[in-house]
Amino acid sequence: MEFFITESRRKQTGGSCFFEFQRGQKEKEYESVFWLEDSLLLHMDIVDEIELYKIVPNFNYYYITIIDKEKWEVIQQNAEKAGGKAMKVIHEVSAWVEENFKEFDYFVIVGI
């Protein structure tokens, strides 16, 4: 992957300036947990560079943003409009998102 890293890679770097893309949970109410092994992580610098807050509706930089299938469609459309690196980042995470939606109704972006 070009933009995202795994949790095991983040541990090696010792960094914490990452936004964590977490799979959904079985419970109706999201329970705050962090640095899950099956998460994908996107560095804060990339988030800022592509202005993710313009692509993700109701993006919360410092807390959680829950993304359901409808919101994911909007994100994809917004990334297409933005083009460039934003489009590449969203495209890179697409397969992970589609796998997640086979089991869960949402995924979560955990802010810093």
Side-chain angles (χ1 to χ4, degrees):
M1 294 193 133
E2 184 178 352
F3 304 109
F4 288 85
I5 65 169
T6 62
E7 169 55 13
S8 58
R9 179 72 182 117
R10 184 202 65 83
K11 283 180 185 173
Q12 291 173 352
T13 68
S16 62
C17 293
F18 291 91
F19 286 78
E20 182 177 4
F21 285 57
Q22 290 183 354
R23 292 171 42 86
Q25 297 178 357
K26 300 276 187 215
E27 300 79 25
K28 284 188 176 186
E29 295 296 320
Y30 172 77
E31 179 183 331
S32 292
V33 289
F34 309 99
W35 309 130
L36 301 176
E37 288 300 320
D38 60 354
S39 292
L40 290 181
L41 303 147
L42 186 62
H43 196 275
M44 177 181 70
D45 291 344
I46 297 171
V47 168
D48 292 343
E49 179 184 347
I50 67 169
E51 298 179 319
L52 194 62
Y53 65 90
K54 290 183 178 179
I55 297 167
V56 177
N58 303 313
F59 183 68
N60 193 321
Y61 199 90
Y62 299 104
Y63 189 52
I64 63 169
T65 305
I66 296 177
I67 310 295
D68 60 17
K69 291 177 183 179
E70 289 176 25
K71 201 178 270 189
W72 175 243
E73 288 178 20
V74 171
I75 291 167
Q76 291 177 303
Q77 291 168 4
N78 290 345
E80 283 289 323
K81 289 177 191 171
K85 192 171 187 174
M87 187 176 63
K88 290 177 183 177
V89 168
I90 296 304
H91 179 74
E92 184 172 284
V93 77
S94 291
W96 179 91
V97 169
E98 295 306 323
E99 273 302 307
N100 174 78
F101 283 148
K102 289 179 182 177
E103 187 174 352
F104 302 103
D105 294 332
Y106 68 94
F107 69 93
V108 178
I109 302 174
V110 180
I112 56 172

